[in-house]
Each structure stands twice: as C-alpha cells, then as structure tokens.
Amino acid sequence: MPVKNLAQSDLPAPHFVSDTIDIQSMHDGRHYTSKARLRSAYRAAGVVEIGNEKPQPIEKPKTDRKAIRNELRRVYAEHNA
C-alpha cells in the first residue's frame, strides 16, 4: 500500500486569493490594480471601506409584558365602561 504524503491535499489546487483587481476608486477616481494599494489609499485618506466589516450584534429591548398586560386591561376596561 503506498504511503500518502500528509503535506499534500486531496484538492486539485490550494486555495489562493489574488491581490489583483481592476477597479476605479470611488474616492479619488484613480484606477487601481492591487487591492492592497486601494485599501492603503483609503486608509491614508481616512475613508472607511464598507462591506468587509463584521456585523455588530443587535440587542433587542426586553419586552415589558407586565406593562403590556396592564395597558390592555386599562383599554379593555375603558372600552367596556
């Protein structure tokens, strides 16, 4: 039985994220071919790039069931009076 090389993956090619991009900056109108240079220009200008940030958890307010129940009782009593 052949011994498998543990350093190799079963995938046909390793995962590779390229830095190459062809984009015109919305900030300064210049064309960029590198994501790193585009982001560097954004940071230097104090611009915040959106779309890559992690969403902040949304905190739901605690429901005051007692206040709701009391209000429903008040409205019901007012309506039937």
Side-chain angles (χ1 to χ4, degrees), residues 38-81:
L38 174 64
R39 289 183 177 134
S40 175
Y42 283 162
R43 280 192 301 273
V47 176
V48 177
E49 180 180 13
I50 60 171
N52 294 334
E53 70 280 352
K54 295 184 183 194
Q56 299 295 322
I58 299 172
E59 294 183 24
K60 291 184 178 181
K62 184 76 174 165
T63 304
D64 187 359
R65 294 191 176 275
K66 187 175 181 181
I68 293 171
R69 195 176 308 116
N70 290 339
E71 181 65 14
L72 287 172
R73 286 182 181 147
R74 184 191 66 77
V75 171
Y76 182 76
E78 184 180 296
H79 178 70
N80 288 334

